[in-house]
Amino acid sequence: AAKNYPNDGDSVQRLFYDTIKGGDFRSREANVYRLAQISNHIIDQCVAQGVPFGREYGGTLSNRSFGGAQVSRTFYARGQTGQQLLLGAYQALLRQITAGQVTMRPRTEMLELVVVNGHAKGIVVRDLVTGKVSSHAGDAVVLATGGYANVFYLSTNAAGCNVTATYRAYKKGAYFANPCFTQIHPTCIPVTGDHQSKLTLMSESLRNHGRVWVPKKKGDARTPRDIPENERDYYLERKYPSYGNLAPRDIASRSAKEVCDRGLGVGESGRGVYLDFSEAIGRLGDQKIRELYGNLFDMYDRITGENPYAVPMRIYPAAHYTMGGLWVDYDLMSNLPGLYVIGEANFSDHGSNRLGASALMQGLADGYFILPATIGDYLAKNAGEKIKADHPEFKKAEDEVLSRVQRLLAVKGKRTPASFHRELGALLWEFCGMTRNAAGLKKALARIPELRDEFWKNVNVLGENESFNQALEKAGRVADFLEFAELLCQDALDREESCGGHFREEHQTADGEALRNDEKFSYVAAWGYQGIGKKPALNLEPLKFENIALAQRSYK
Amino acid sequence: MRLILRIWRQKNTKGRGGFVEYPVDDLSPNMSFLEMLDVLNERLVQKGEEPIAFDHDCREGICGMCSLVINGVAHGSEKATTACQLHLRHFKDGEYVTIEPWRAKPFPVIRDLVVDRSAFDRILQAGGFVSVNTGSAAEANTVLVPKRDAEKAMDAAACIGCGACVAACKNASAMLFVAAKVSHLAWLPQGQVEAKARVKKMVAQMDREGFGNCTNQYECQAVCPKEISVAFIAKMNRDYLRSGEEEGS
């Protein structure tokens, strides 16, 4: 947030500028400025809720730096700020439940959006314990269902994260915007084997004190301590002198991939780079580093069996966040009236690359401040007829959900949903990951329908609907990923430029940086569903920048 | 490596349930415990058997979903480690490993290793929050918080609500969980106004849910993956006693 407590020159204007530039000039100017303004109110709100932010000795809030910014504007709660902000929001929600304003239904999954007379009027859900499918009508629908990074199977997201809610809305007419803007986070623990089920994020904050390097010599198998300084390539410091190890995520990720592609990677798989704290430990002492990163270092040790106080961490990029999502207007409403989308589920604010510590900032801005102010407009204008859950559209949706569930159970093939998910994820990581090209994307677009076809002929889901059935839940989510993946690749193929997290090899500068084509692609690609396997319809929202000059995004 | 797993299977809440033995071969010491269960599940499905149900989400020790008692210890015997963070390098080749759900009356089994922990939500609903509306908070630095207090609040706020404390306690007491939330807010100025009401309401709800009482065994602290200290229970006991003073009762 742009409080400027450290007096290092931060301001709303600067946060606005950093975020637009960080997003590589592919976000809506007005949205981003509003986000920068609201950022300060978010901190006020979180403190009032009792979020235990770190404090200075004088009792004021502490700050630190994050990638893509030269000022210390990030507030933190040890190495779990996101968790603590979530608890603040969760606790506030509990207060509303107690006050009778909210009914909470845990272990319940939305499987369909219901549209009546062109307006979003409710949802159909499945109870994950009993299998019971039911309808819920409302005056409006708000989706805060997160992002689709799990389409890559291996990501930093929780296992349950999926694209189902937003994808179902897309199939009912809500535009899906810029799905190819996916963020790969540079500092994650590398893959150890085929059994890998997820990738663990090592907080961005580590880049405040860790130095990224690889050996200069290919195949250098010496332990890191034995490699002298002059035989190490601190490649981020070399390539980007002014941001160094705090270069934004997309740039840091591509740089890591590039050195590993050249055979300079470390670790068993050769897919890793060092994040070294020895200089910082030497300068600040063990105790200070422990205070800042204790829990993160312990977590790393638990997972790898290596001690980062003694040896450098090994990290590698992993799919982490998705800037793309359902299209929304300035009021956060979809083109589908009555459907509001907030947080990572929508496309707004981050352009083609998100800066660190901003996901929750945007989510909280959307939910705490913007939506409450804008949804009233829709509710007031549509106060008329109350649609109830016995409307025929609801029954139709319930039948669709049940028949889909029964279809999944009836295939009785030979492959588990997880095996399809793994294959899809590997395909997308290869052809639609950190770098993309036309040939690869076309290959993916040819393979995905084949894999989807095989899924519906060969998936094996045991058990029944009327029970707690995790395989059935998973199968439904994978089925949606198998359709969504096509949209993702189509968008990547269509956008013939490089910007932020979307890097097309055919469009790069002489020194390998992203080359935008502002003349042809300064727009939001809002896709409209046309049917399974059919190319979606492109709706362009041109992006005009009136308060900031478009520039080549440089962090040198 | 090879492990012989003895896993609790139970069809639903009403089912009797029982242990089933599963020898599992070709495991890697670098696998996580839950990845091992994934591998077993894939193999079971290939044989036409329904997979073992278990709760999990983040797989990195922060969401509080994973809830396995491993060889009699909630989350297994590595200190400050959740079941999902446990790796097979901590087990011996050929070892027998018993895997059970959290055992407590207020945590009914849903299926196999999955239990219903909504009792925890209801306890927090009773008062685990600060009553402040969104939109009109004072400027963030208006109220200073001593660094020491902020650190203590953070120590308590680190609770992930997994329920290992309940599972480990012979009385199925939820005192550590309740004390963590009460203390988190009690150490911050923002939590002061409602501190007395909060502790009374949350303890009352805890009792209503059917959790047992605390007899100072400290099993909870021993298994807590976030190392929440029983000192917070002591603090809550003091706060609870003091909460009666205001009404003169």
Side-chain angles (χ1 to χ4, degrees):
Chain A
K3 289 279 198 183
N4 193 32
Y5 290 152
N7 292 326
D8 52 5
D10 200 7
S11 62
V12 167
Q13 174 64 26
R14 189 161 187 166
L15 175 55
F16 159 67
Y17 177 79
D18 284 347
T19 306
I20 292 262
K21 175 180 168 183
D24 215 353
F25 302 92
R26 288 291 173 265
S27 48
R28 211 189 271 147
E29 204 179 38
N31 278 54
V32 179
Y33 194 80
R34 176 175 60 183
L35 178 63
Q37 286 180 303
I38 290 175
S39 69
N40 291 338
H41 300 295
I42 290 167
I43 301 300
D44 299 339
Q45 192 63 40
C46 292
V47 168
Q49 288 170 344
V51 172
F53 286 121
R55 296 270 167 178
E56 299 296 321
Y57 284 104
T60 54
L61 291 159
S62 298
N63 281 105
R64 62 187 178 198
S65 283
F66 252 51
Q70 287 170 313
V71 296
S72 278
R73 62 163 65 105
T74 305
F75 296 83
Y76 61 92
R78 293 219 185 118
Q80 51 172 271
T81 313
Q83 166 81 347
Q84 293 305 323
L85 294 179
L86 180 159
L87 290 179
Y90 166 61
Q91 284 164 209
L93 173 64
L94 293 176
R95 178 172 162 245
Q96 296 306 318
I97 296 172
T98 300
Q101 302 281 69
V102 171
T103 307
M104 182 70 132
R105 296 175 211 275
R107 296 199 193 263
T108 306
E109 183 171 16
M110 168 187 162
L111 290 181
E112 194 55 89
L113 178 74
V114 180
V115 177
V116 177
N117 299 327
H119 287 241
K121 280 296 173 205
I123 61 174
V124 168
V125 303
R126 178 177 174 269
D127 182 313
L128 298 182
V129 178
T130 63
K132 183 168 186 312
V133 169
S134 59
S135 293
H136 300 268
D139 297 311
V141 175
V142 179
L143 295 183
T145 50
Y148 49 89
N150 265 352
V151 75
F152 291 100
Y153 179 69
L154 286 183
S155 79
T156 64
N157 287 190
C161 298
N162 60 77
V163 76
T164 292
T166 48
Y167 188 68
R168 303 250 132 238
Y170 165 69
K171 288 178 92 168
K172 282 283 157 87
Y175 297 153
F176 209 108
N178 298 336
C180 77
F181 289 165
T182 53
Q183 180 170 76
I184 313 291
H185 194 291
T187 55
C188 302
I189 300 180
V191 173
T192 51
D194 287 338
H195 54 262
Q196 195 85 26
S197 59
K198 77 154 306 187
L199 295 166
T200 305
L201 177 66
M202 297 273 47
S203 169
E204 173 111 24
S205 58
L206 291 168
R207 297 202 282 147
N208 268 272
H209 290 96
R211 295 177 72 195
V212 176
W213 65 273
V214 286
K216 280 190 180 158
K217 242 189 343 210
K218 198 168 161 174
D220 191 335
R222 288 179 286 177
T223 68
R225 284 288 160 274
D226 293 335
I227 302 179
E229 285 292 314
N230 61 352
E231 291 181 47
R232 301 179 179 188
D233 181 13
Y234 290 95
Y235 58 87
L236 287 181
E237 293 171 18
R238 170 176 54 84
K239 289 165 78 176
Y240 310 105
S242 59
Y243 281 76
N245 295 296
L246 285 171
R249 293 174 175 186
D250 52 337
I251 286 175
S253 294
R254 276 196 292 276
S255 299
K257 178 184 195 293
E258 198 230 339
V259 297
C260 291
D261 285 347
R262 284 196 280 134
L264 299 165
V266 300
E268 242 176 78
S269 60
R271 287 274 152 200
V273 301
Y274 288 127
L275 181 60
D276 195 335
F277 293 87
S278 53
E279 188 272 331
I281 291 173
R283 180 166 40 95
L284 301 166
D286 233 43
Q287 195 40 45
K288 179 70 184 167
I289 297 297
R290 194 176 300 272
E291 201 186 289
L292 288 167
Y293 307 119
N295 63 324
L296 295 168
F297 276 36
D298 289 344
M299 183 161 82
Y300 183 85
D301 196 330
R302 252 179 230 117
I303 292 169
T304 61
E306 291 169 20
N307 173 11
Y309 292 102
V311 300
M313 273 189 194
R314 284 173 300 110
I315 53 165
Y316 195 69
H320 175 59
Y321 180 88
T322 53
M323 284 69 67
L326 289 178
W327 184 90
V328 290
D329 62 14
Y330 190 68
D331 286 352
L332 301 184
M333 192 169 82
S334 161
N335 57 296
L336 183 54
L339 178 68
Y340 285 81
V341 193
I342 58 176
E344 193 176 351
N346 78 26
F347 91 100
S348 66
D349 299 9
H350 304 294
S352 55
N353 174 61
R354 182 179 65 78
L355 294 181
S358 59
L360 264 146
M361 182 173 77
Q362 182 226 331
L364 298 183
D366 287 355
Y368 285 162
F369 299 105
I370 301 173
L371 184 63
T374 61
I375 199 168
D377 186 60
Y378 173 79
L379 296 174
K381 289 185 183 133
N382 293 278
E385 194 201 328
K386 275 256 184 274
I387 304 287
K388 295 221 217 61
D390 54 10
H391 189 283
E393 280 297 335
F394 282 93
K395 181 75 177 62
K396 192 158 148 256
E398 280 188 32
D399 289 343
E400 273 166 20
V401 168
L402 266 162
S403 90
R404 200 175 156 82
V405 157
Q406 293 307 335
R407 217 182 129 199
L408 285 167
L409 290 164
V411 177
K412 297 201 192 303
K414 299 232 173 349
R415 284 180 70 175
T416 62
S419 89
F420 281 102
H421 195 184
R422 244 183 251 119
E423 191 176 335
L424 177 67
L427 179 73
L428 290 174
W429 185 243
E430 173 72 39
F431 296 118
C432 199
M434 280 184 273
T435 64
R436 302 150 174 180
N437 59 56
L441 289 165
K442 288 189 180 132
K443 230 189 252 173
L445 281 167
R447 179 74 190 118
I448 293 164
E450 286 172 8
L451 192 58
R452 182 171 63 236
D453 226 44
E454 196 206 325
F455 176 86
W456 285 105
K457 293 198 177 89
N458 199 20
V459 74
N460 188 13
V461 185
L462 298 172
E464 42 170 22
N465 174 52
E466 294 72 25
S467 67
F468 185 80
N469 190 335
Q470 289 177 315
L472 178 59
E473 292 171 30
K474 177 93 174 161
R477 294 167 197 163
V478 173
D480 286 337
F481 277 138
L482 282 165
E483 287 181 31
F484 173 74
E486 249 185 282
L487 175 61
L488 173 62
C489 293
Q490 186 62 61
D491 188 42
L493 183 61
D494 226 70
R495 185 172 284 275
E496 288 167 356
E497 62 159 356
S498 290
C499 52
H502 170 65
F503 191 86
R504 284 286 298 269
E505 289 164 11
E506 307 95 323
H507 305 280
Q508 49 182 299
T509 63
D511 42 8
E513 299 297 339
L515 185 61
R516 287 192 328 258
N517 184 339
D518 293 331
E519 255 184 55
K520 276 193 77 190
F521 292 98
S522 185
Y523 63 73
V524 175
W527 297 97
Y529 180 64
Q530 300 294 304
I532 298 180
K534 295 213 180 74
K535 184 165 180 207
L538 178 60
N539 301 286
L540 289 184
E541 178 195 331
L543 289 170
K544 288 195 180 53
F545 296 92
E546 290 159 16
N547 295 286
I548 196 169
L550 284 147
Q552 168 66 26
R553 188 170 158 246
S554 166
Y555 290 92
K556 294 208 192 303
Chain B
M1 61 191 278
R2 173 181 222 249
L3 292 175
I4 300 117
L5 309 177
R6 273 199 211 104
I7 303 180
W8 185 262
R9 303 302 303 266
Q10 185 170 330
K11 191 114 173 68
N12 49 41
T13 309
K14 300 226 167 10
R16 257 197 105 222
F19 284 105
V20 180
E21 204 162 281
Y22 299 99
V24 192
D25 291 287
D26 296 318
L27 295 170
S28 157
N30 290 323
M31 269 185 200
S32 77
F33 200 82
L34 299 189
E35 282 165 355
M36 170 183 68
L37 291 179
D38 289 342
V39 165
L40 173 58
N41 275 343
E42 291 281 290
R43 294 179 191 170
L44 288 177
V45 172
Q46 300 292 31
K47 291 196 290 182
E49 293 175 41
E50 270 200 83
I52 298 153
F54 61 93
D55 267 331
H56 66 103
D57 207 10
C58 76
R59 298 220 170 180
E60 48 179 271
I62 197 75
C63 71
M65 279 304 273
C66 67
S67 52
L68 306 179
V69 173
I70 299 166
N71 285 343
V73 183
H75 287 305
S77 48
E78 285 304 298
K79 198 151 181 10
T81 301
T82 53
C84 67
Q85 293 175 312
L86 188 59
H87 284 67
L88 297 188
R89 66 179 76 91
H90 296 289
F91 293 88
K92 294 192 201 60
D93 192 9
E95 194 176 332
Y96 277 81
V97 184
T98 308
I99 308 173
E100 304 170 77
W102 286 171
R103 305 263 190 213
K105 188 142 164 267
F107 289 162
V109 172
I110 292 176
R111 184 167 190 176
D112 296 339
L113 303 166
V114 176
V115 298
D116 179 354
R117 284 168 281 181
S118 50
F120 268 13
D121 287 325
R122 290 189 292 273
I123 291 173
L124 291 182
Q125 268 164 238
F129 48 78
V130 175
S131 296
V132 57
N133 285 347
T134 303
S136 49
E139 203 285 327
N141 268 338
T142 303
V143 180
L144 300 178
V145 179
K147 189 173 163 78
R148 187 194 83 131
D149 294 357
E151 295 297 317
K152 282 206 148 46
M154 181 63 235
D155 287 342
C159 167
I160 59 177
C162 65
C165 47
V166 174
C169 177
K170 66 179 170 59
N171 307 319
S173 174
M175 287 288 274
L176 192 67
F177 167 74
V178 181
K181 186 51 62 188
V182 168
S183 300
H184 157 203
L185 296 175
W187 274 109
L188 292 172
Q190 290 78 16
Q192 289 313 303
V193 172
E194 298 167 289
K196 289 187 174 158
R198 176 181 305 120
V199 67
K200 281 174 78 158
K201 287 188 206 157
M202 288 178 71
V203 168
Q205 186 63 31
M206 177 185 79
D207 289 341
R208 267 198 293 275
E209 293 291 341
F211 291 101
N213 268 318
C214 175
T215 53
N216 291 292
Q217 309 274 261
Y218 301 179
E219 294 287 342
C220 52
Q221 179 182 263
V223 299
C224 177
K226 296 298 156 190
E227 299 186 288
I228 306 289
S229 166
V230 293
F232 290 125
I233 296 181
K235 176 173 170 59
M236 182 171 78
N237 282 330
R238 282 200 300 278
D239 290 351
Y240 185 77
L241 286 170
R242 282 208 208 100
S243 76
E245 287 164 14
E246 220 162 56
E247 281 96 301
S249 58

